[in-house]
mmCIF file of all heavy atoms in Angstrom:
data_model
loop_
_atom_site.group_PDB
_atom_site.id
_atom_site.type_symbol
_atom_site.label_atom_id
_atom_site.label_comp_id
_atom_site.label_asym_id
_atom_site.label_seq_id
_atom_site.Cartn_x
_atom_site.Cartn_y
_atom_site.Cartn_z
ATOM 1 N N SER A 723 20.860 26.790 -1.078
ATOM 2 C CA SER A 723 20.120 26.615 -2.331
ATOM 3 C C SER A 723 19.068 25.497 -2.235
ATOM 4 O O SER A 723 17.919 25.694 -2.645
ATOM 5 C CB SER A 723 21.116 26.341 -3.473
ATOM 6 O OG SER A 723 20.538 25.546 -4.482
ATOM 7 N N VAL A 724 19.449 24.353 -1.692
ATOM 8 C CA VAL A 724 18.448 23.267 -1.603
ATOM 9 C C VAL A 724 17.411 23.545 -0.509
ATOM 10 O O VAL A 724 16.276 23.070 -0.588
ATOM 11 C CB VAL A 724 19.084 21.852 -1.447
ATOM 12 C CG1 VAL A 724 19.840 21.477 -2.702
ATOM 13 C CG2 VAL A 724 19.957 21.729 -0.223
ATOM 14 N N ASN A 744 35.872 4.731 0.981
ATOM 15 C CA ASN A 744 35.890 6.134 0.583
ATOM 16 C C ASN A 744 35.892 6.980 1.856
ATOM 17 O O ASN A 744 35.396 6.542 2.897
ATOM 18 C CB ASN A 744 34.646 6.448 -0.267
ATOM 19 C CG ASN A 744 34.761 7.742 -1.041
ATOM 20 O OD1 ASN A 744 35.841 8.330 -1.135
ATOM 21 N ND2 ASN A 744 33.648 8.206 -1.587
ATOM 22 N N SER A 749 32.380 15.846 11.460
ATOM 23 C CA SER A 749 31.435 16.779 12.083
ATOM 24 C C SER A 749 31.726 18.259 11.793
ATOM 25 O O SER A 749 30.773 19.043 11.733
ATOM 26 C CB SER A 749 31.326 16.517 13.592
ATOM 27 O OG SER A 749 32.552 16.771 14.214
ATOM 28 N N ALA A 755 27.858 23.257 7.376
ATOM 29 C CA ALA A 755 26.607 23.188 6.601
ATOM 30 C C ALA A 755 25.445 23.723 7.421
ATOM 31 O O ALA A 755 24.576 24.449 6.916
ATOM 32 C CB ALA A 755 26.337 21.750 6.171
ATOM 33 N N TYR A 775 31.648 8.267 18.100
ATOM 34 C CA TYR A 775 31.500 9.584 17.462
ATOM 35 C C TYR A 775 30.109 10.192 17.543
ATOM 36 O O TYR A 775 29.933 11.340 17.170
ATOM 37 C CB TYR A 775 31.926 9.478 15.984
ATOM 38 C CG TYR A 775 33.352 9.022 15.844
ATOM 39 C CD1 TYR A 775 33.651 7.676 15.602
ATOM 40 C CD2 TYR A 775 34.401 9.923 16.007
ATOM 41 C CE1 TYR A 775 34.972 7.245 15.515
ATOM 42 C CE2 TYR A 775 35.723 9.506 15.922
ATOM 43 C CZ TYR A 775 35.998 8.166 15.681
ATOM 44 O OH TYR A 775 37.290 7.743 15.606
ATOM 45 N N ALA A 794 28.378 -2.258 11.182
ATOM 46 C CA ALA A 794 29.593 -1.659 11.763
ATOM 47 C C ALA A 794 29.922 -2.377 13.082
ATOM 48 O O ALA A 794 29.054 -3.027 13.669
ATOM 49 C CB ALA A 794 29.373 -0.172 11.997
ATOM 50 N N GLY A 846 26.081 8.688 -7.062
ATOM 51 C CA GLY A 846 25.983 8.510 -8.508
ATOM 52 C C GLY A 846 25.888 7.080 -9.008
ATOM 53 O O GLY A 846 26.088 6.824 -10.192
ATOM 54 N N MET A 853 15.945 -4.036 -4.257
ATOM 55 C CA MET A 853 15.740 -3.588 -2.871
ATOM 56 C C MET A 853 14.276 -3.240 -2.591
ATOM 57 O O MET A 853 13.878 -3.072 -1.438
ATOM 58 C CB MET A 853 16.631 -2.379 -2.555
ATOM 59 C CG MET A 853 18.108 -2.702 -2.498
ATOM 60 S SD MET A 853 18.494 -3.964 -1.256
ATOM 61 C CE MET A 853 18.980 -5.322 -2.305
ATOM 62 N N LEU A 867 3.204 -5.097 13.122
ATOM 63 C CA LEU A 867 3.670 -5.052 14.507
ATOM 64 C C LEU A 867 3.324 -3.736 15.198
ATOM 65 O O LEU A 867 3.667 -3.531 16.365
ATOM 66 C CB LEU A 867 5.179 -5.298 14.570
ATOM 67 C CG LEU A 867 5.656 -6.641 13.984
ATOM 68 C CD1 LEU A 867 7.177 -6.709 13.932
ATOM 69 C CD2 LEU A 867 5.115 -7.807 14.816
ATOM 70 N N GLY A 870 6.267 2.410 14.621
ATOM 71 C CA GLY A 870 6.140 3.716 13.972
ATOM 72 C C GLY A 870 7.380 4.214 13.256
ATOM 73 O O GLY A 870 7.456 5.381 12.907
ATOM 74 N N LYS A 885 9.483 7.288 -6.961
ATOM 75 C CA LYS A 885 8.085 6.880 -7.087
ATOM 76 C C LYS A 885 7.939 5.393 -6.710
ATOM 77 O O LYS A 885 7.041 5.021 -5.957
ATOM 78 C CB LYS A 885 7.632 7.122 -8.526
ATOM 79 C CG LYS A 885 6.180 6.822 -8.810
ATOM 80 C CD LYS A 885 5.809 7.319 -10.217
ATOM 81 C CE LYS A 885 4.328 7.123 -10.508
ATOM 82 N NZ LYS A 885 3.996 5.702 -10.764
ATOM 83 N N ALA A 890 6.397 1.443 -2.581
ATOM 84 C CA ALA A 890 6.788 0.285 -1.778
ATOM 85 C C ALA A 890 6.683 0.568 -0.279
ATOM 86 O O ALA A 890 6.736 -0.356 0.531
ATOM 87 C CB ALA A 890 8.206 -0.139 -2.143
#
Side-chain angles (χ1 to χ4, degrees):
S723 151
V724 294
N744 196 12
S749 64
Y775 301 97
M853 291 301 112
L867 301 173
K885 183 171 184 286

